[in-house]
Amino acid sequence: QVQLVESGGGLVQSGGSLRLSCATSRRTFSNYAVGWFRQAPGKEREFVAGVSRTGLDLNYADSVQGRFAISRDISKVTVYLQMNSLKPEDTAEYYCAARDTFSGKPYWVPLTPVEYDNWGQGTQVTVSS
């Protein structure tokens, strides 16, 4: 199991920016693919962005493509989600998730919640219009 701690959420006006962080103390975090998901009230949890364990392969939901950027700092065992041009529809609880993909292909980025077995507690992002 990997403990994940999200931070960086908050209240921002439409068009503003936030940077979310997903931190762990696990030294082997570089073996894990990491994804960001979000869940708004009454809606299913949805994929936002993901990064492979190498950090070289990225994947984004169409709704955030060009506005959000995921990156990882291997040395600091942290994954970031830079969110720009935020919209009210981005309002949700944001979750970081991790999956050990060391035995799989290095470019693999899992896209669905069931493919991840480690989750953080979430951080709230609220975008006002």
Side-chain angles (χ1 to χ4, degrees):
Q1 286 288 69
V2 177
Q3 278 195 318
L4 304 172
V5 179
E6 301 100 333
S7 61
L11 174 64
V12 64
Q13 288 189 333
S14 181
S17 298
L18 285 173
R19 189 176 80 157
L20 305 183
S21 298
C22 173
T24 179
S25 59
R26 186 69 171 259
R27 293 185 178 182
T28 57
F29 199 46
S30 57
N31 291 341
Y32 290 73
V34 178
W36 283 98
F37 290 78
R38 65 187 182 188
Q39 188 167 18
K43 295 188 176 182
E44 292 187 354
R45 190 167 296 190
E46 64 173 358
F47 175 81
V48 176
V51 59
S52 64
R53 70 171 187 266
T54 65
L56 299 178
D57 302 280
L58 312 176
N59 206 311
Y60 296 95
D62 290 344
S63 59
V64 306
Q65 182 76 45
R67 299 189 297 122
F68 290 12
I70 188 171
S71 61
R72 66 187 308 163
D73 185 333
I74 299 296
S75 63
K76 296 183 178 180
V77 292
T78 303
V79 173
Y80 303 99
L81 183 67
Q82 178 66 43
M83 306 187 297
N84 300 323
S85 302
L86 283 161
K87 305 175 182 180
E89 50 264 44
D90 294 318
T91 295
E93 188 81 7
Y94 282 71
Y95 297 90
C96 171
R99 162 74 183 263
D100 188 337
T101 62
F102 185 72
S103 60
K105 293 180 171 57
Y107 53 78
W108 181 30
V109 180
L111 302 179
T112 63
V114 296
E115 295 179 282
Y116 290 88
D117 49 10
N118 299 279
W119 290 86
Q121 294 300 308
T123 185
Q124 177 67 36
V125 171
T126 303
V127 184
S128 62
S129 57

PDB file of all heavy atoms in Angstrom, residues 9-35:
ATOM      1  N   GLY A   9      -5.904  22.278  -3.140  1.00  0.00           N
ATOM      2  CA  GLY A   9      -7.249  22.661  -3.537  1.00  0.00           C
ATOM      3  C   GLY A   9      -7.665  23.974  -2.903  1.00  0.00           C
ATOM      4  O   GLY A   9      -6.960  24.523  -2.050  1.00  0.00           O
ATOM      5  N   GLY A  10      -8.811  24.473  -3.346  1.00  0.00           N
ATOM      6  CA  GLY A  10      -9.308  25.719  -2.788  1.00  0.00           C
ATOM      7  C   GLY A  10     -10.374  26.339  -3.646  1.00  0.00           C
ATOM      8  O   GLY A  10     -10.906  25.697  -4.559  1.00  0.00           O
ATOM      9  N   LEU A  11     -10.670  27.590  -3.341  1.00  0.00           N
ATOM     10  CA  LEU A  11     -11.677  28.357  -4.072  1.00  0.00           C
ATOM     11  C   LEU A  11     -10.968  29.332  -5.005  1.00  0.00           C
ATOM     12  O   LEU A  11     -10.067  30.063  -4.585  1.00  0.00           O
ATOM     13  CB  LEU A  11     -12.558  29.118  -3.090  1.00  0.00           C
ATOM     14  CG  LEU A  11     -13.576  30.098  -3.682  1.00  0.00           C
ATOM     15  CD1 LEU A  11     -14.606  29.366  -4.527  1.00  0.00           C
ATOM     16  CD2 LEU A  11     -14.256  30.887  -2.559  1.00  0.00           C
ATOM     17  N   VAL A  12     -11.386  29.324  -6.270  1.00  0.00           N
ATOM     18  CA  VAL A  12     -10.758  30.196  -7.257  1.00  0.00           C
ATOM     19  C   VAL A  12     -11.832  30.703  -8.208  1.00  0.00           C
ATOM     20  O   VAL A  12     -12.843  30.031  -8.428  1.00  0.00           O
ATOM     21  CB  VAL A  12      -9.644  29.439  -8.013  1.00  0.00           C
ATOM     22  CG1 VAL A  12     -10.210  28.288  -8.824  1.00  0.00           C
ATOM     23  CG2 VAL A  12      -8.823  30.367  -8.884  1.00  0.00           C
ATOM     24  N   GLN A  13     -11.608  31.863  -8.762  1.00  0.00           N
ATOM     25  CA  GLN A  13     -12.556  32.405  -9.727  1.00  0.00           C
ATOM     26  C   GLN A  13     -12.360  31.767 -11.096  1.00  0.00           C
ATOM     27  O   GLN A  13     -11.279  31.275 -11.423  1.00  0.00           O
ATOM     28  CB  GLN A  13     -12.387  33.916  -9.838  1.00  0.00           C
ATOM     29  CG  GLN A  13     -12.881  34.682  -8.624  1.00  0.00           C
ATOM     30  CD  GLN A  13     -12.890  36.186  -8.860  1.00  0.00           C
ATOM     31  OE1 GLN A  13     -12.118  36.704  -9.655  1.00  0.00           O
ATOM     32  NE2 GLN A  13     -13.762  36.886  -8.149  1.00  0.00           N
ATOM     33  N   SER A  14     -13.398  31.794 -11.875  1.00  0.00           N
ATOM     34  CA  SER A  14     -13.334  31.266 -13.237  1.00  0.00           C
ATOM     35  C   SER A  14     -12.188  31.946 -13.996  1.00  0.00           C
ATOM     36  O   SER A  14     -12.011  33.169 -13.917  1.00  0.00           O
ATOM     37  CB  SER A  14     -14.663  31.534 -13.950  1.00  0.00           C
ATOM     38  OG  SER A  14     -14.639  31.013 -15.246  1.00  0.00           O
ATOM     39  N   GLY A  15     -11.400  31.131 -14.687  1.00  0.00           N
ATOM     40  CA  GLY A  15     -10.236  31.639 -15.397  1.00  0.00           C
ATOM     41  C   GLY A  15      -8.951  31.585 -14.599  1.00  0.00           C
ATOM     42  O   GLY A  15      -7.867  31.799 -15.151  1.00  0.00           O
ATOM     43  N   GLY A  16      -9.078  31.266 -13.325  1.00  0.00           N
ATOM     44  CA  GLY A  16      -7.916  31.223 -12.460  1.00  0.00           C
ATOM     45  C   GLY A  16      -7.170  29.904 -12.542  1.00  0.00           C
ATOM     46  O   GLY A  16      -7.503  29.026 -13.357  1.00  0.00           O
ATOM     47  N   SER A  17      -6.159  29.765 -11.685  1.00  0.00           N
ATOM     48  CA  SER A  17      -5.296  28.583 -11.699  1.00  0.00           C
ATOM     49  C   SER A  17      -5.106  28.034 -10.297  1.00  0.00           C
ATOM     50  O   SER A  17      -5.168  28.773  -9.310  1.00  0.00           O
ATOM     51  CB  SER A  17      -3.918  28.930 -12.279  1.00  0.00           C
ATOM     52  OG  SER A  17      -4.012  29.372 -13.616  1.00  0.00           O
ATOM     53  N   LEU A  18      -4.860  26.744 -10.251  1.00  0.00           N
ATOM     54  CA  LEU A  18      -4.474  26.066  -9.022  1.00  0.00           C
ATOM     55  C   LEU A  18      -3.474  24.981  -9.379  1.00  0.00           C
ATOM     56  O   LEU A  18      -3.504  24.444 -10.494  1.00  0.00           O
ATOM     57  CB  LEU A  18      -5.678  25.415  -8.333  1.00  0.00           C
ATOM     58  CG  LEU A  18      -6.673  26.297  -7.583  1.00  0.00           C
ATOM     59  CD1 LEU A  18      -7.873  25.463  -7.133  1.00  0.00           C
ATOM     60  CD2 LEU A  18      -6.023  26.989  -6.400  1.00  0.00           C
ATOM     61  N   ARG A  19      -2.638  24.631  -8.423  1.00  0.00           N
ATOM     62  CA  ARG A  19      -1.752  23.493  -8.602  1.00  0.00           C
ATOM     63  C   ARG A  19      -1.972  22.508  -7.470  1.00  0.00           C
ATOM     64  O   ARG A  19      -1.777  22.829  -6.301  1.00  0.00           O
ATOM     65  CB  ARG A  19      -0.276  23.905  -8.641  1.00  0.00           C
ATOM     66  CG  ARG A  19       0.629  22.735  -9.040  1.00  0.00           C
ATOM     67  CD  ARG A  19       2.080  23.119  -9.191  1.00  0.00           C
ATOM     68  NE  ARG A  19       2.767  23.199  -7.918  1.00  0.00           N
ATOM     69  CZ  ARG A  19       4.095  23.081  -7.784  1.00  0.00           C
ATOM     70  NH1 ARG A  19       4.845  22.878  -8.849  1.00  0.00           N
ATOM     71  NH2 ARG A  19       4.648  23.187  -6.596  1.00  0.00           N
ATOM     72  N   LEU A  20      -2.374  21.322  -7.843  1.00  0.00           N
ATOM     73  CA  LEU A  20      -2.571  20.250  -6.870  1.00  0.00           C
ATOM     74  C   LEU A  20      -1.289  19.429  -6.758  1.00  0.00           C
ATOM     75  O   LEU A  20      -0.577  19.235  -7.749  1.00  0.00           O
ATOM     76  CB  LEU A  20      -3.726  19.346  -7.276  1.00  0.00           C
ATOM     77  CG  LEU A  20      -5.072  20.015  -7.530  1.00  0.00           C
ATOM     78  CD1 LEU A  20      -6.127  18.956  -7.846  1.00  0.00           C
ATOM     79  CD2 LEU A  20      -5.491  20.883  -6.378  1.00  0.00           C
ATOM     80  N   SER A  21      -1.046  18.936  -5.567  1.00  0.00           N
ATOM     81  CA  SER A  21       0.107  18.067  -5.327  1.00  0.00           C
ATOM     82  C   SER A  21      -0.354  16.747  -4.739  1.00  0.00           C
ATOM     83  O   SER A  21      -1.303  16.712  -3.955  1.00  0.00           O
ATOM     84  CB  SER A  21       1.090  18.733  -4.361  1.00  0.00           C
ATOM     85  OG  SER A  21       1.594  19.926  -4.891  1.00  0.00           O
ATOM     86  N   CYS A  22       0.350  15.707  -5.115  1.00  0.00           N
ATOM     87  CA  CYS A  22       0.089  14.364  -4.578  1.00  0.00           C
ATOM     88  C   CYS A  22       1.430  13.857  -4.070  1.00  0.00           C
ATOM     89  O   CYS A  22       2.335  13.599  -4.867  1.00  0.00           O
ATOM     90  CB  CYS A  22      -0.468  13.458  -5.661  1.00  0.00           C
ATOM     91  SG  CYS A  22      -0.653  11.731  -5.173  1.00  0.00           S
ATOM     92  N   ALA A  23       1.555  13.734  -2.771  1.00  0.00           N
ATOM     93  CA  ALA A  23       2.836  13.388  -2.182  1.00  0.00           C
ATOM     94  C   ALA A  23       2.776  12.039  -1.480  1.00  0.00           C
ATOM     95  O   ALA A  23       1.736  11.631  -0.955  1.00  0.00           O
ATOM     96  CB  ALA A  23       3.266  14.460  -1.193  1.00  0.00           C
ATOM     97  N   THR A  24       3.907  11.359  -1.484  1.00  0.00           N
ATOM     98  CA  THR A  24       4.034  10.101  -0.774  1.00  0.00           C
ATOM     99  C   THR A  24       5.438   9.998  -0.206  1.00  0.00           C
ATOM    100  O   THR A  24       6.354  10.664  -0.679  1.00  0.00           O
ATOM    101  CB  THR A  24       3.762   8.910  -1.701  1.00  0.00           C
ATOM    102  OG1 THR A  24       3.912   7.697  -0.965  1.00  0.00           O
ATOM    103  CG2 THR A  24       4.764   8.890  -2.847  1.00  0.00           C
ATOM    104  N   SER A  25       5.594   9.174   0.794  1.00  0.00           N
ATOM    105  CA  SER A  25       6.914   8.956   1.354  1.00  0.00           C
ATOM    106  C   SER A  25       7.549   7.687   0.798  1.00  0.00           C
ATOM    107  O   SER A  25       8.665   7.342   1.160  1.00  0.00           O
ATOM    108  CB  SER A  25       6.821   8.854   2.882  1.00  0.00           C
ATOM    109  OG  SER A  25       5.960   7.789   3.246  1.00  0.00           O
ATOM    110  N   ARG A  26       6.811   7.036  -0.111  1.00  0.00           N
ATOM    111  CA  ARG A  26       7.272   5.758  -0.636  1.00  0.00           C
ATOM    112  C   ARG A  26       8.450   5.971  -1.581  1.00  0.00           C
ATOM    113  O   ARG A  26       8.330   6.650  -2.598  1.00  0.00           O
ATOM    114  CB  ARG A  26       6.127   5.079  -1.387  1.00  0.00           C
ATOM    115  CG  ARG A  26       6.409   3.668  -1.863  1.00  0.00           C
ATOM    116  CD  ARG A  26       6.516   2.689  -0.726  1.00  0.00           C
ATOM    117  NE  ARG A  26       6.566   1.329  -1.185  1.00  0.00           N
ATOM    118  CZ  ARG A  26       5.517   0.504  -1.168  1.00  0.00           C
ATOM    119  NH1 ARG A  26       4.358   0.932  -0.717  1.00  0.00           N
ATOM    120  NH2 ARG A  26       5.637  -0.714  -1.599  1.00  0.00           N
ATOM    121  N   ARG A  27       9.591   5.351  -1.273  1.00  0.00           N
ATOM    122  CA  ARG A  27      10.786   5.532  -2.091  1.00  0.00           C
ATOM    123  C   ARG A  27      10.665   4.889  -3.450  1.00  0.00           C
ATOM    124  O   ARG A  27      11.356   5.274  -4.385  1.00  0.00           O
ATOM    125  CB  ARG A  27      12.002   4.983  -1.352  1.00  0.00           C
ATOM    126  CG  ARG A  27      12.358   5.775  -0.119  1.00  0.00           C
ATOM    127  CD  ARG A  27      13.637   5.277   0.505  1.00  0.00           C
ATOM    128  NE  ARG A  27      14.015   6.063   1.665  1.00  0.00           N
ATOM    129  CZ  ARG A  27      15.117   5.855   2.373  1.00  0.00           C
ATOM    130  NH1 ARG A  27      15.947   4.884   2.029  1.00  0.00           N
ATOM    131  NH2 ARG A  27      15.387   6.615   3.412  1.00  0.00           N
ATOM    132  N   THR A  28       9.784   3.887  -3.576  1.00  0.00           N
ATOM    133  CA  THR A  28       9.609   3.212  -4.860  1.00  0.00           C
ATOM    134  C   THR A  28       8.462   3.813  -5.668  1.00  0.00           C
ATOM    135  O   THR A  28       7.911   3.165  -6.545  1.00  0.00           O
ATOM    136  CB  THR A  28       9.362   1.711  -4.648  1.00  0.00           C
ATOM    137  OG1 THR A  28       8.211   1.555  -3.805  1.00  0.00           O
ATOM    138  CG2 THR A  28      10.557   1.041  -4.028  1.00  0.00           C
ATOM    139  N   PHE A  29       8.111   5.059  -5.364  1.00  0.00           N
ATOM    140  CA  PHE A  29       6.998   5.693  -6.066  1.00  0.00           C
ATOM    141  C   PHE A  29       7.243   5.771  -7.555  1.00  0.00           C
ATOM    142  O   PHE A  29       6.309   5.869  -8.343  1.00  0.00           O
ATOM    143  CB  PHE A  29       6.759   7.090  -5.489  1.00  0.00           C
ATOM    144  CG  PHE A  29       5.404   7.668  -5.791  1.00  0.00           C
ATOM    145  CD1 PHE A  29       4.258   6.919  -5.634  1.00  0.00           C
ATOM    146  CD2 PHE A  29       5.276   8.977  -6.241  1.00  0.00           C
ATOM    147  CE1 PHE A  29       3.004   7.448  -5.898  1.00  0.00           C
ATOM    148  CE2 PHE A  29       4.025   9.530  -6.502  1.00  0.00           C
ATOM    149  CZ  PHE A  29       2.888   8.759  -6.327  1.00  0.00           C
ATOM    150  N   SER A  30       8.500   5.721  -7.945  1.00  0.00           N
ATOM    151  CA  SER A  30       8.819   5.769  -9.376  1.00  0.00           C
ATOM    152  C   SER A  30       8.357   4.499 -10.095  1.00  0.00           C
ATOM    153  O   SER A  30       8.380   4.454 -11.320  1.00  0.00           O
ATOM    154  CB  SER A  30      10.317   5.971  -9.579  1.00  0.00           C
ATOM    155  OG  SER A  30      11.048   4.940  -8.932  1.00  0.00           O
ATOM    156  N   ASN A  31       7.939   3.475  -9.367  1.00  0.00           N
ATOM    157  CA  ASN A  31       7.389   2.263  -9.980  1.00  0.00           C
ATOM    158  C   ASN A  31       5.900   2.397 -10.275  1.00  0.00           C
ATOM    159  O   ASN A  31       5.309   1.497 -10.869  1.00  0.00           O
ATOM    160  CB  ASN A  31       7.579   1.060  -9.062  1.00  0.00           C
ATOM    161  CG  ASN A  31       9.028   0.656  -8.919  1.00  0.00           C
ATOM    162  OD1 ASN A  31       9.866   1.021  -9.735  1.00  0.00           O
ATOM    163  ND2 ASN A  31       9.330  -0.089  -7.874  1.00  0.00           N
ATOM    164  N   TYR A  32       5.310   3.510  -9.853  1.00  0.00           N
ATOM    165  CA  TYR A  32       3.867   3.664  -9.915  1.00  0.00           C
ATOM    166  C   TYR A  32       3.430   4.632 -10.999  1.00  0.00           C
ATOM    167  O   TYR A  32       3.987   5.728 -11.141  1.00  0.00           O
ATOM    168  CB  TYR A  32       3.334   4.177  -8.575  1.00  0.00           C
ATOM    169  CG  TYR A  32       3.400   3.172  -7.455  1.00  0.00           C
ATOM    170  CD1 TYR A  32       4.601   2.830  -6.870  1.00  0.00           C
ATOM    171  CD2 TYR A  32       2.242   2.561  -6.980  1.00  0.00           C
ATOM    172  CE1 TYR A  32       4.657   1.904  -5.835  1.00  0.00           C
ATOM    173  CE2 TYR A  32       2.281   1.643  -5.942  1.00  0.00           C
ATOM    174  CZ  TYR A  32       3.493   1.316  -5.380  1.00  0.00           C
ATOM    175  OH  TYR A  32       3.529   0.400  -4.363  1.00  0.00           O
ATOM    176  N   ALA A  33       2.414   4.240 -11.749  1.00  0.00           N
ATOM    177  CA  ALA A  33       1.676   5.198 -12.570  1.00  0.00           C
ATOM    178  C   ALA A  33       0.729   5.948 -11.635  1.00  0.00           C
ATOM    179  O   ALA A  33       0.228   5.384 -10.658  1.00  0.00           O
ATOM    180  CB  ALA A  33       0.891   4.483 -13.654  1.00  0.00           C
ATOM    181  N   VAL A  34       0.499   7.206 -11.940  1.00  0.00           N
ATOM    182  CA  VAL A  34      -0.333   8.045 -11.077  1.00  0.00           C
ATOM    183  C   VAL A  34      -1.416   8.726 -11.902  1.00  0.00           C
ATOM    184  O   VAL A  34      -1.162   9.231 -12.994  1.00  0.00           O
ATOM    185  CB  VAL A  34       0.523   9.103 -10.364  1.00  0.00           C
ATOM    186  CG1 VAL A  34      -0.352  10.023  -9.508  1.00  0.00           C
ATOM    187  CG2 VAL A  34       1.587   8.435  -9.495  1.00  0.00           C
ATOM    188  N   GLY A  35      -2.595   8.735 -11.359  1.00  0.00           N
ATOM    189  CA  GLY A  35      -3.705   9.400 -12.029  1.00  0.00           C
ATOM    190  C   GLY A  35      -4.396  10.384 -11.114  1.00  0.00           C
ATOM    191  O   GLY A  35      -4.373  10.235  -9.890  1.00  0.00           O
TER     192      GLY A  35
END
